[in-house]
């Protein structure tokens, strides 16, 4: 057992409780939050190194051995996603310091930020489905508060829709967990994998698997994404960046873990459905990204495209595609955080979110412009940036398994990403400032915002240039996804 692996979950929980009592002291909240996140990044780096050298780490809470007790599991997939989550959180936090507004800061923005981190990290580290549900709810309750914080009419309207969708999906989640427990008598993921293999994945278990797919697809925005573009446009840019980088990825992680560890026996059944959902998501996301001229909507539909692309890698379920899905998931979390923070800076500088009313920002903020260009190229998959290797592996896996039309669709979606983001780049940064904004004073970008976007831009470049080194870690995560016995033996060996 390894007690260290629960620290990334405990640190934000303890920090959130402390911050509740500091609500009137904005500077103290900023300092405590920053120290907490930086310290947690160091803990996550330690865990990744430990998993790399010693293999999968487990913690049996209270000394109860699985399948009877609560277990936390840090395989390479979970460890890398925890580390990436904390890097993204650091960027969003530093951007929020001067952009979120003191009114929100005094109304518990930082405690809810930390609670959301605890929910996300707990979802990655938990080893049983009921605990996954609990961590999902911690994450969602914090997100409800963050999306409504500020109380504008638009936020209230979108919060109601967001809450309703998630309450329905959580209800379905509880029902699916109950049906699965009633069928096989356990909720420990490693034990579930054994039990499902023993009784074969057909009949009622296939129905339960589809129910889990619906639940996680709602949370990830996989095909059932109708709630996402409006809900993610309502809160401030720092919150939207956090949501776009993390929340849909937790749903994707749940799909990856569930359908490579538990329901992986019927590749022609549920995995085929995931493939069709991925195709529809990429098509509809591409149409939205190309059609809209509202910056927020364009960026939100780019989230949807990437969700479909990663789901395509899961549907193929080959070694290459799973390795690529892990690598691309890490890349997309960082690149989306960078993209949405830059989007927030663009909107604040232009005073509008309509591309037709923007222009000339390159003269005032050239560094922001070129960092946006780098983020766009990374999301398209241009080498040597971070999106290249993940895309190559997923598409190579699709072609090797005979998924030619899905691979072609994935490539076409990359062209849609390129068109939509270059449209933003040219519309916002080039040309003349329209109308009376020529006389506006330039908006000052605070140094903490620059620190956030420069740090995330460096990470995008490092993930690409150092992709061979990073792949030595992501391939370990892909090996566990391809061979569930590695996970099962690590959890149940004691």
């Amino acid at each position: 057992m390894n007690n260290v692996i629960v620290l990334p979950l405990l640190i934000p929980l303890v920090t959130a409780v402390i911050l509740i009592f500091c609500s009137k002291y904005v500077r103290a909240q900023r300092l405590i939050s920053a120290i907490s996140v930086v310290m947690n990044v160091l803990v996550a780096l330690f865990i990744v190194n430990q998993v790399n050298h010693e293999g999968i780490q487990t913690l049996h809470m209270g000394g109860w051995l699985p399948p009877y007790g609560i277990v936390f599991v840090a395989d390479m997939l979970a460890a890398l996603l925890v580390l990436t989550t904390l890097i993204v959180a650091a960027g969003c936090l530093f951007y929020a310091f001067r952009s979120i507004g003191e009114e929100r800061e005094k109304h518990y923005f930082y405690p809810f930020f930390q609670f959301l981190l605890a929910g996300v990290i707990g979802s990655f580290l938990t080893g049983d489905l009921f605990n996954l549900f609990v961590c999902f709810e911690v994450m969602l309750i914090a997100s409800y508060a963050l999306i409504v914080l500020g109380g504008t009419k638009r936020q209230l309207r979108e919060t109601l829709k967001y809450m309703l969708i998630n309450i329905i999906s959580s209800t379905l989640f509880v029902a699916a967990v109950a049906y699965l427990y009633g069928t096989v008598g356990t909720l420990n993921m490693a034990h579930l994998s054994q039990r499902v293999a023993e009784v074969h994945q057909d009949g009622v278990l296939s129905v339960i698997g589809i129910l889990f797919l619906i639940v996680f697809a709602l949370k990830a925005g996989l095909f059932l994404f109708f709630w996402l573009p409006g809900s993610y446009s309502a809160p401030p840019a720092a919150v939207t960046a956090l949501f776009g980088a993390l929340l849909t990825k937790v749903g994707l992680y749940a799909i990856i873990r569930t359908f490579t560890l538990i329901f992986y026996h019927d590749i022609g059944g549920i995995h085929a459905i995931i493939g069709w959902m991925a195709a529809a998501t990429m098509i509809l996301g591409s149409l939205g990204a190309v059609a809209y001229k509202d910056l927020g909507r364009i960026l939100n539909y780019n989230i949807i495209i990437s969700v479909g692309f990663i789901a395509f890698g899961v549907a193929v379920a080959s070694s290459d595609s799973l390795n690529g899905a892990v690598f691309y998931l890490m890349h997309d979390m960082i690149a989306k955080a960078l993209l949405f923070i830059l989007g927030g800076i663009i909107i604040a500088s232009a005073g509008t979110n309509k591309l037709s009313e923007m222009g000339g920002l390159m003269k005032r903020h050239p560094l922001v412009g070129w960092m946006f260009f780098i983020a766009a190229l990374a999301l398209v998959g241009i080498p040597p940036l971070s999106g290249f290797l993940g895309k190559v592996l997923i598409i190579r896996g699709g072609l090797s398994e005979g998924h030619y039309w899905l691979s072609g669709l994935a490539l076409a979606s990359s062209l849609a990403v390129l068109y939509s983001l270059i449209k933003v780049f040219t519309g916002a940064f080039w040309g003349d400032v329209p109308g009376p904004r020529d006389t506006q004073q330039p908006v000052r970008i605070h140094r903490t915002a620059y620190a956030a976007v420069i740090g995330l831009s460096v990470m995008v470049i490092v993930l690409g240039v150092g992709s061979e080194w990073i792949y030595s870690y992501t391939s370990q995560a892909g090996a566990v996804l391809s061979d569930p016995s590695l996970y099962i033996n690590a959890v149940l060996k004691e």
Side-chain angles (χ1 to χ4, degrees):
M1 290 203 303
N2 185 353
N3 291 319
V4 175
I5 66 173
V6 80
L7 280 180
L9 174 61
L10 285 181
I11 290 172
L13 279 177
V14 173
T15 305
V17 173
I18 293 171
L19 289 173
I20 289 172
F21 298 99
C22 304
S23 61
K24 295 181 181 178
Y25 307 101
V26 171
R27 288 188 178 180
Q29 289 192 82
R30 292 173 182 172
L31 181 61
I32 293 169
S33 297
I35 292 171
S36 171
V37 170
V38 171
M39 183 169 61
N40 220 357
V41 169
L42 298 177
V43 172
L45 282 168
F46 176 79
I47 292 172
V48 169
N49 183 64
Q50 199 169 37
V51 173
N52 183 44
H53 288 96
E54 300 176 21
I56 298 172
Q57 302 295 301
T58 61
L59 173 61
H60 308 138
M61 300 298 288
W64 286 84
L65 297 180
Y68 305 107
I70 294 172
V71 61
F72 287 95
V73 184
D75 65 341
M76 188 56 78
L77 174 61
L80 288 174
L81 292 183
V82 168
L83 176 60
T84 309
T85 294
L86 291 165
I87 291 170
V88 165
C92 293
L93 183 68
F94 281 102
Y95 175 60
F97 284 163
R98 296 289 179 171
S99 69
I100 201 73
E102 277 201 22
E103 193 64 27
R104 287 187 173 93
E105 289 178 303
K106 290 179 179 177
H107 284 82
Y108 305 101
F109 168 76
Y110 294 110
F112 287 124
F113 181 98
Q114 296 289 341
F115 279 127
L116 185 138
L117 281 186
V120 171
I121 292 167
S123 298
F124 293 147
L125 290 174
T126 185
D128 68 87
L129 280 180
F130 186 78
N131 222 23
L132 178 63
F133 168 75
V134 172
C135 293
F136 261 70
E137 292 308 298
V138 171
M139 175 188 74
L140 289 172
I141 291 169
S143 72
Y144 299 156
L146 289 173
I147 198 173
V148 80
L149 198 61
T152 66
K153 184 183 292 186
R154 184 183 184 188
Q155 283 181 285
L156 292 171
R157 183 182 66 247
E158 294 299 336
T159 300
L160 288 173
K161 180 172 69 176
Y162 178 75
M163 287 180 66
L164 179 61
I165 293 301
N166 280 291
I167 288 169
I168 291 171
S169 67
S170 295
T171 304
L172 292 174
F173 196 173
V174 172
V177 166
Y179 282 128
L180 187 59
Y181 184 77
T183 305
V184 296
T186 185
L187 291 176
N188 179 280
M189 292 182 186
H191 200 212
L192 275 170
S193 184
Q194 285 186 330
R195 288 288 180 88
V196 172
E198 288 169 1
V199 299
H200 304 295
Q201 184 186 319
D202 54 14
V204 68
L205 281 175
S206 291
V207 175
I208 293 170
I210 291 171
L211 187 55
F212 273 111
L213 177 59
I214 293 169
V215 170
F216 297 144
L218 268 171
K219 295 183 183 295
L222 177 62
F223 183 59
L224 306 171
F225 61 79
F226 53 89
W227 55 271
L228 190 151
S231 296
Y232 281 19
S233 297
V239 176
T240 302
L242 192 68
F243 284 12
L246 299 183
L247 297 196
T248 55
K249 307 309 182 294
V250 177
L252 277 171
Y253 167 80
I255 290 173
I256 292 170
R257 184 67 81 191
T258 303
F259 295 101
T260 58
L261 179 62
I262 303 170
F263 300 105
Y264 65 93
H265 308 280
D266 184 15
I267 298 295
I270 295 178
H271 281 72
I273 295 172
I274 295 173
W276 284 103
M277 294 175 76
T281 304
M282 287 188 284
I283 292 170
L284 296 173
S286 298
L287 291 174
V290 169
Y292 276 101
K293 296 183 180 179
D294 176 297
L295 177 55
R297 294 275 177 167
I298 291 171
L299 300 187
N300 288 336
Y301 276 100
N302 271 278
I303 295 176
I304 293 163
I305 295 172
S306 65
V307 167
F309 190 85
I310 295 167
F312 160 49
V314 179
V316 172
S318 69
S319 178
D320 273 343
S321 71
L322 291 174
N323 288 339
V326 175
F327 196 101
Y328 197 83
L329 191 57
M330 292 175 60
H331 141 78
D332 197 65
M333 291 167 73
I334 295 172
K336 284 296 189 299
L338 173 61
L339 190 70
F340 275 92
I341 292 173
L342 290 170
I345 293 172
I346 292 168
I347 292 170
S349 300
T352 178
N353 59 6
K354 293 180 173 26
L355 285 180
S356 59
E357 298 175 11
M358 294 182 185
L361 290 179
M362 188 61 79
K363 297 175 184 176
R364 287 181 279 168
H365 305 299
L367 181 59
V368 173
W370 291 118
M371 283 192 291
F372 185 91
F373 187 67
I374 289 171
L377 295 183
L379 286 165
V380 173
I382 302 297
L385 299 173
S386 58
F388 176 69
L389 181 60
K391 285 204 170 187
V392 167
L393 288 171
I394 290 174
I395 291 171
R396 187 171 75 179
L399 292 173
S400 66
E401 295 295 317
H403 296 274
Y404 302 116
W405 70 276
L406 262 176
S407 302
L409 192 57
L411 288 170
S413 73
S414 297
L415 295 177
V417 171
L418 177 63
Y419 174 80
S420 66
L421 295 181
I422 293 300
K423 178 173 66 174
V424 173
F425 180 66
T426 55
F429 291 98
W430 299 108
D432 297 321
V433 182
R437 290 195 180 87
D438 285 317
T439 60
Q440 275 192 348
Q441 292 295 320
V443 174
R444 181 171 177 267
I445 301 172
H446 199 270
R447 59 180 179 272
T448 56
Y450 271 124
V453 292
I454 290 171
L456 292 173
S457 297
V458 168
M459 288 303 304
V460 164
I461 295 169
V462 167
L463 273 177
V465 174
S467 57
E468 184 176 357
W469 172 61
I470 303 294
Y471 181 73
S472 67
Y473 291 85
T474 58
S475 61
Q476 293 180 47
V480 174
L481 299 179
S482 299
D483 184 5
S485 66
L486 298 174
Y487 185 99
I488 295 167
N489 292 336
V491 174
L492 300 181
K493 65 181 178 182
E494 300 180 31

